[in-house]
Short mmCIF file of all heavy atoms in Angstrom, two decimals:
data_model
loop_
_atom_site.label_atom_id
_atom_site.label_comp_id
_atom_site.label_asym_id
_atom_site.label_seq_id
_atom_site.Cartn_x
_atom_site.Cartn_y
_atom_site.Cartn_z
N PRO A 225 71.74 -28.26 2.74
CA PRO A 225 71.85 -26.79 2.73
C PRO A 225 70.50 -26.10 2.98
O PRO A 225 69.47 -26.56 2.52
CB PRO A 225 72.39 -26.50 1.35
CG PRO A 225 71.88 -27.64 0.49
CD PRO A 225 71.89 -28.85 1.40
N PHE A 226 70.59 -24.96 3.71
CA PHE A 226 69.39 -24.23 4.07
C PHE A 226 69.16 -23.11 3.05
O PHE A 226 70.06 -22.64 2.39
CB PHE A 226 69.55 -23.65 5.45
CG PHE A 226 69.74 -24.69 6.52
CD1 PHE A 226 70.92 -24.76 7.23
CD2 PHE A 226 68.76 -25.59 6.78
CE1 PHE A 226 71.11 -25.73 8.21
CE2 PHE A 226 68.92 -26.60 7.77
CZ PHE A 226 70.11 -26.66 8.48
N GLY A 227 67.93 -22.68 2.97
CA GLY A 227 67.54 -21.61 2.08
C GLY A 227 66.04 -21.47 2.03
O GLY A 227 65.32 -21.96 2.91
N THR A 228 65.54 -20.85 0.97
CA THR A 228 64.10 -20.67 0.81
C THR A 228 63.40 -22.01 0.81
O THR A 228 63.80 -22.95 0.15
CB THR A 228 63.82 -19.95 -0.52
OG1 THR A 228 64.58 -18.71 -0.54
CG2 THR A 228 62.34 -19.64 -0.69
N ASP A 229 62.31 -22.09 1.60
CA ASP A 229 61.50 -23.30 1.77
C ASP A 229 62.19 -24.40 2.57
O ASP A 229 61.57 -25.43 2.89
CB ASP A 229 61.04 -23.89 0.42
CG ASP A 229 60.18 -22.92 -0.36
OD1 ASP A 229 59.48 -22.10 0.27
OD2 ASP A 229 60.22 -22.96 -1.62
N ASN A 230 63.44 -24.21 2.92
CA ASN A 230 64.16 -25.13 3.83
C ASN A 230 65.02 -24.31 4.73
O ASN A 230 66.26 -24.36 4.69
CB ASN A 230 65.00 -26.16 3.03
CG ASN A 230 65.68 -27.13 3.96
OD1 ASN A 230 65.10 -27.65 4.91
ND2 ASN A 230 66.97 -27.41 3.72
N PRO A 231 64.38 -23.48 5.56
CA PRO A 231 65.18 -22.56 6.39
C PRO A 231 65.95 -23.28 7.49
O PRO A 231 65.53 -24.36 7.94
CB PRO A 231 64.10 -21.65 7.01
CG PRO A 231 62.87 -22.49 7.05
CD PRO A 231 62.94 -23.36 5.83
N ALA A 232 67.04 -22.69 7.88
CA ALA A 232 67.76 -23.22 9.07
C ALA A 232 66.81 -23.16 10.23
O ALA A 232 66.06 -22.23 10.42
CB ALA A 232 69.00 -22.37 9.31
N PRO A 233 66.87 -24.19 11.09
CA PRO A 233 65.96 -24.19 12.27
C PRO A 233 66.20 -22.97 13.14
O PRO A 233 67.35 -22.67 13.48
CB PRO A 233 66.32 -25.50 12.99
CG PRO A 233 66.95 -26.35 11.94
CD PRO A 233 67.67 -25.42 11.03
N ASN A 234 65.11 -22.32 13.54
CA ASN A 234 65.19 -21.19 14.47
C ASN A 234 64.69 -21.66 15.82
O ASN A 234 63.70 -22.40 15.90
CB ASN A 234 64.36 -20.03 13.98
CG ASN A 234 64.90 -19.45 12.68
OD1 ASN A 234 66.10 -19.35 12.49
ND2 ASN A 234 63.99 -19.03 11.78
N PHE A 235 65.35 -21.21 16.87
CA PHE A 235 64.98 -21.65 18.22
C PHE A 235 64.79 -20.44 19.13
O PHE A 235 65.44 -19.40 18.97
CB PHE A 235 66.09 -22.53 18.79
CG PHE A 235 66.35 -23.77 17.98
CD1 PHE A 235 67.45 -23.84 17.15
CD2 PHE A 235 65.47 -24.84 18.02
CE1 PHE A 235 67.71 -24.96 16.40
CE2 PHE A 235 65.73 -25.96 17.25
CZ PHE A 235 66.83 -26.04 16.44
N LEU A 236 63.89 -20.61 20.08
CA LEU A 236 63.68 -19.62 21.14
C LEU A 236 64.49 -20.09 22.35
O LEU A 236 64.34 -21.21 22.82
CB LEU A 236 62.19 -19.48 21.49
CG LEU A 236 61.85 -18.42 22.51
CD1 LEU A 236 60.46 -17.86 22.25
CD2 LEU A 236 61.90 -18.93 23.94
N VAL A 237 65.30 -19.19 22.88
CA VAL A 237 66.11 -19.50 24.08
C VAL A 237 66.00 -18.32 25.04
O VAL A 237 65.81 -17.18 24.63
CB VAL A 237 67.59 -19.79 23.75
CG1 VAL A 237 67.72 -21.06 22.94
CG2 VAL A 237 68.21 -18.63 23.00
N GLU A 238 66.14 -18.65 26.33
CA GLU A 238 66.14 -17.63 27.35
C GLU A 238 67.29 -17.85 28.32
O GLU A 238 67.77 -18.98 28.47
CB GLU A 238 64.80 -17.68 28.13
CG GLU A 238 63.57 -17.39 27.27
CD GLU A 238 62.30 -17.47 28.05
OE1 GLU A 238 62.08 -16.61 28.93
OE2 GLU A 238 61.51 -18.38 27.80
N GLY A 239 67.70 -16.77 28.94
CA GLY A 239 68.80 -16.87 29.90
C GLY A 239 69.23 -15.49 30.33
O GLY A 239 68.88 -14.48 29.69
N HIS A 240 70.02 -15.44 31.36
CA HIS A 240 70.57 -14.16 31.85
C HIS A 240 71.71 -13.69 30.92
O HIS A 240 72.63 -14.47 30.62
CB HIS A 240 71.10 -14.32 33.26
CG HIS A 240 71.89 -13.15 33.77
ND1 HIS A 240 71.35 -11.93 33.99
CD2 HIS A 240 73.20 -13.06 34.05
CE1 HIS A 240 72.28 -11.10 34.40
NE2 HIS A 240 73.44 -11.78 34.46
N VAL A 241 71.64 -12.45 30.46
CA VAL A 241 72.67 -11.91 29.57
C VAL A 241 73.92 -11.58 30.41
O VAL A 241 73.87 -10.86 31.39
CB VAL A 241 72.17 -10.65 28.83
CG1 VAL A 241 73.29 -10.02 28.02
CG2 VAL A 241 70.99 -11.03 27.92
N ASP A 242 75.05 -12.09 29.93
CA ASP A 242 76.33 -11.88 30.64
C ASP A 242 77.41 -11.61 29.64
O ASP A 242 77.32 -11.91 28.45
CB ASP A 242 76.65 -13.16 31.45
CG ASP A 242 77.83 -12.97 32.40
OD1 ASP A 242 77.81 -11.95 33.15
OD2 ASP A 242 78.76 -13.75 32.37
N SER A 243 78.51 -10.99 30.12
CA SER A 243 79.70 -10.71 29.29
C SER A 243 79.35 -9.99 28.01
O SER A 243 79.81 -10.31 26.91
CB SER A 243 80.45 -12.00 28.96
OG SER A 243 80.75 -12.73 30.13
N PHE A 244 78.49 -9.00 28.12
CA PHE A 244 77.98 -8.28 26.94
C PHE A 244 79.01 -7.27 26.44
O PHE A 244 79.61 -6.54 27.22
CB PHE A 244 76.68 -7.55 27.27
CG PHE A 244 76.00 -6.92 26.10
CD1 PHE A 244 75.05 -7.60 25.39
CD2 PHE A 244 76.34 -5.62 25.69
CE1 PHE A 244 74.44 -7.01 24.26
CE2 PHE A 244 75.76 -5.03 24.61
CZ PHE A 244 74.80 -5.74 23.89
N LYS A 245 79.21 -7.25 25.11
CA LYS A 245 80.06 -6.21 24.55
C LYS A 245 79.65 -5.92 23.12
O LYS A 245 79.10 -6.82 22.43
CB LYS A 245 81.55 -6.61 24.61
CG LYS A 245 81.89 -7.91 23.88
CD LYS A 245 83.38 -8.24 24.05
CE LYS A 245 83.73 -9.55 23.36
NZ LYS A 245 85.16 -9.89 23.57
N GLN A 246 79.92 -4.72 22.71
CA GLN A 246 79.69 -4.33 21.31
C GLN A 246 80.98 -4.46 20.54
O GLN A 246 82.06 -4.13 21.05
CB GLN A 246 79.17 -2.88 21.25
CG GLN A 246 77.74 -2.72 21.77
CD GLN A 246 77.19 -1.33 21.63
OE1 GLN A 246 76.85 -0.70 22.63
NE2 GLN A 246 77.08 -0.84 20.40
N ILE A 247 80.87 -4.95 19.31
CA ILE A 247 82.06 -5.20 18.47
C ILE A 247 81.83 -4.60 17.10
O ILE A 247 80.74 -4.16 16.74
CB ILE A 247 82.39 -6.69 18.39
CG1 ILE A 247 81.18 -7.47 17.77
CG2 ILE A 247 82.74 -7.28 19.74
CD1 ILE A 247 81.47 -8.93 17.54
N GLY A 248 82.88 -4.60 16.28
CA GLY A 248 82.82 -4.02 14.93
C GLY A 248 83.44 -2.66 14.92
O GLY A 248 83.60 -1.97 15.93
N SER A 249 83.79 -2.22 13.70
CA SER A 249 84.47 -0.91 13.55
C SER A 249 83.62 0.25 14.05
O SER A 249 84.14 1.26 14.50
CB SER A 249 84.82 -0.70 12.07
OG SER A 249 83.65 -0.75 11.27
N GLU A 250 82.29 0.08 13.98
CA GLU A 250 81.40 1.13 14.46
C GLU A 250 80.50 0.64 15.57
O GLU A 250 79.40 1.16 15.78
CB GLU A 250 80.56 1.68 13.29
CG GLU A 250 81.43 2.30 12.20
CD GLU A 250 80.58 2.82 11.05
OE1 GLU A 250 79.37 2.75 11.14
OE2 GLU A 250 81.19 3.29 10.06
N GLN A 251 80.98 -0.41 16.28
CA GLN A 251 80.22 -1.02 17.40
C GLN A 251 78.82 -1.44 16.93
O GLN A 251 77.85 -1.39 17.69
CB GLN A 251 80.08 0.02 18.55
CG GLN A 251 81.39 0.56 19.07
CD GLN A 251 82.14 -0.47 19.88
OE1 GLN A 251 81.81 -0.72 21.03
NE2 GLN A 251 83.17 -1.05 19.27
N GLN A 252 78.74 -1.90 15.67
CA GLN A 252 77.44 -2.21 15.10
C GLN A 252 76.97 -3.65 15.45
O GLN A 252 75.78 -3.95 15.19
CB GLN A 252 77.46 -1.99 13.60
CG GLN A 252 78.31 -3.00 12.82
CD GLN A 252 79.76 -2.56 12.65
OE1 GLN A 252 80.38 -2.05 13.57
NE2 GLN A 252 80.33 -2.77 11.47
N HIS A 253 77.83 -4.48 15.98
CA HIS A 253 77.45 -5.85 16.31
C HIS A 253 77.57 -6.07 17.81
O HIS A 253 78.17 -5.27 18.53
CB HIS A 253 78.36 -6.85 15.59
CG HIS A 253 78.56 -6.55 14.11
ND1 HIS A 253 77.51 -6.36 13.27
CD2 HIS A 253 79.67 -6.37 13.39
CE1 HIS A 253 77.98 -6.08 12.06
NE2 HIS A 253 79.29 -6.10 12.10
N VAL A 254 76.95 -7.14 18.32
CA VAL A 254 77.02 -7.45 19.72
C VAL A 254 77.44 -8.90 19.93
O VAL A 254 77.18 -9.76 19.09
CB VAL A 254 75.66 -7.20 20.45
CG1 VAL A 254 75.26 -5.74 20.36
CG2 VAL A 254 74.56 -8.08 19.86
N LYS A 255 78.08 -9.13 21.07
CA LYS A 255 78.53 -10.49 21.44
C LYS A 255 78.25 -10.60 22.94
O LYS A 255 78.56 -9.72 23.72
CB LYS A 255 79.99 -10.66 21.12
CG LYS A 255 80.47 -12.10 21.12
CD LYS A 255 81.88 -12.19 20.56
CE LYS A 255 82.42 -13.60 20.55
NZ LYS A 255 81.64 -14.52 19.71
N PHE A 256 77.64 -11.71 23.34
CA PHE A 256 77.32 -11.89 24.76
C PHE A 256 77.13 -13.37 25.03
O PHE A 256 77.21 -14.24 24.14
CB PHE A 256 76.05 -11.11 25.13
CG PHE A 256 74.82 -11.43 24.30
CD1 PHE A 256 73.87 -12.31 24.78
CD2 PHE A 256 74.60 -10.79 23.08
CE1 PHE A 256 72.75 -12.60 24.02
CE2 PHE A 256 73.47 -11.07 22.33
CZ PHE A 256 72.54 -11.99 22.80
N SER A 257 76.84 -13.70 26.29
CA SER A 257 76.54 -15.06 26.69
C SER A 257 75.16 -15.12 27.34
O SER A 257 74.72 -14.12 27.96
CB SER A 257 77.56 -15.58 27.71
OG SER A 257 78.84 -15.68 27.09
N LEU A 258 74.48 -16.23 27.18
CA LEU A 258 73.23 -16.51 27.89
C LEU A 258 73.54 -17.57 28.94
O LEU A 258 74.14 -18.59 28.63
CB LEU A 258 72.15 -16.98 26.94
CG LEU A 258 71.61 -15.93 25.95
CD1 LEU A 258 70.67 -16.58 24.96
CD2 LEU A 258 70.89 -14.83 26.70
N LYS A 259 73.12 -17.30 30.19
CA LYS A 259 73.48 -18.19 31.26
C LYS A 259 72.26 -18.52 32.13
O LYS A 259 71.30 -17.76 32.18
CB LYS A 259 74.53 -17.53 32.20
CG LYS A 259 75.93 -17.47 31.63
CD LYS A 259 76.90 -16.93 32.71
CE LYS A 259 78.34 -16.99 32.24
NZ LYS A 259 79.27 -16.49 33.26
N ASN A 260 72.31 -19.70 32.73
CA ASN A 260 71.43 -20.02 33.87
C ASN A 260 72.27 -20.79 34.88
O ASN A 260 73.51 -20.83 34.74
CB ASN A 260 70.18 -20.80 33.40
CG ASN A 260 70.53 -22.10 32.67
OD1 ASN A 260 71.61 -22.68 32.89
ND2 ASN A 260 69.59 -22.62 31.90
N GLU A 261 71.64 -21.40 35.84
CA GLU A 261 72.41 -22.05 36.89
C GLU A 261 73.26 -23.22 36.37
O GLU A 261 74.28 -23.56 36.95
CB GLU A 261 71.45 -22.59 37.97
CG GLU A 261 70.64 -21.54 38.69
CD GLU A 261 69.45 -21.06 37.88
OE1 GLU A 261 69.14 -21.68 36.83
OE2 GLU A 261 68.82 -20.06 38.28
N GLU A 262 72.82 -23.81 35.24
CA GLU A 262 73.48 -25.01 34.77
C GLU A 262 74.34 -24.83 33.51
O GLU A 262 75.34 -25.51 33.34
CB GLU A 262 72.44 -26.10 34.47
CG GLU A 262 71.48 -26.39 35.61
CD GLU A 262 70.29 -27.23 35.18
OE1 GLU A 262 70.05 -27.32 33.97
OE2 GLU A 262 69.63 -27.76 36.03
N SER A 263 73.88 -23.92 32.64
CA SER A 263 74.48 -23.93 31.27
C SER A 263 74.82 -22.48 30.80
O SER A 263 74.36 -21.50 31.39
CB SER A 263 73.53 -24.55 30.27
OG SER A 263 73.12 -25.83 30.70
N GLN A 264 75.58 -22.43 29.74
CA GLN A 264 75.98 -21.17 29.11
C GLN A 264 75.98 -21.37 27.61
O GLN A 264 76.36 -22.40 27.08
CB GLN A 264 77.33 -20.73 29.63
CG GLN A 264 77.86 -19.48 28.90
CD GLN A 264 79.22 -19.02 29.38
OE1 GLN A 264 79.52 -19.18 30.56
NE2 GLN A 264 80.06 -18.56 28.47
N LEU A 265 75.57 -20.31 26.89
CA LEU A 265 75.56 -20.32 25.42
C LEU A 265 76.07 -18.99 24.89
O LEU A 265 75.55 -17.93 25.27
CB LEU A 265 74.12 -20.58 24.92
CG LEU A 265 73.89 -20.49 23.38
CD1 LEU A 265 74.67 -21.60 22.66
CD2 LEU A 265 72.41 -20.55 23.06
N ASP A 266 77.08 -19.05 24.04
CA ASP A 266 77.58 -17.85 23.40
C ASP A 266 76.56 -17.38 22.36
O ASP A 266 75.84 -18.17 21.75
CB ASP A 266 78.92 -18.08 22.71
CG ASP A 266 80.03 -18.28 23.70
OD1 ASP A 266 79.86 -17.94 24.88
OD2 ASP A 266 81.11 -18.77 23.29
N ALA A 267 76.49 -16.06 22.14
CA ALA A 267 75.57 -15.50 21.16
C ALA A 267 76.23 -14.33 20.43
O ALA A 267 77.06 -13.62 21.02
CB ALA A 267 74.28 -15.03 21.83
N ILE A 268 75.87 -14.17 19.17
CA ILE A 268 76.37 -13.03 18.40
C ILE A 268 75.20 -12.45 17.62
O ILE A 268 74.37 -13.18 17.10
CB ILE A 268 77.53 -13.45 17.46
CG1 ILE A 268 78.17 -12.22 16.86
CG2 ILE A 268 77.08 -14.44 16.37
CD1 ILE A 268 79.54 -12.45 16.25
N GLY A 269 75.14 -11.12 17.54
CA GLY A 269 74.06 -10.48 16.82
C GLY A 269 74.63 -9.46 15.84
O GLY A 269 75.13 -8.38 16.28
#
């Protein structure tokens, strides 16, 4: 389990933002994909 002094690993990633949309009752969150020529990664903020 992660927590203080044992944080979940954080990673830096880059890619073209695609399929971007705002979600939540007040559009307070975002959901999108990061893409390049080979791969795709879903993301939520």
Side-chain angles (χ1 to χ4, degrees):
F226 300 115
T228 305
D229 299 330
N230 182 43
N234 295 323
F235 301 103
L236 183 149
V237 294
E238 298 180 67
H240 169 67
V241 174
D242 189 50
S243 304
F244 186 92
K245 60 182 178 182
Q246 290 182 241
I247 59 175
S249 59
E250 298 180 4
Q251 304 287 284
Q252 69 271 41
H253 313 306
V254 298
K255 196 171 179 62
F256 56 97
S257 294
L258 290 174
K259 285 186 174 181
N260 59 22
E261 297 80 8
E262 306 168 344
S263 307
Q264 174 180 325
L265 173 65
D266 289 346
I268 190 163

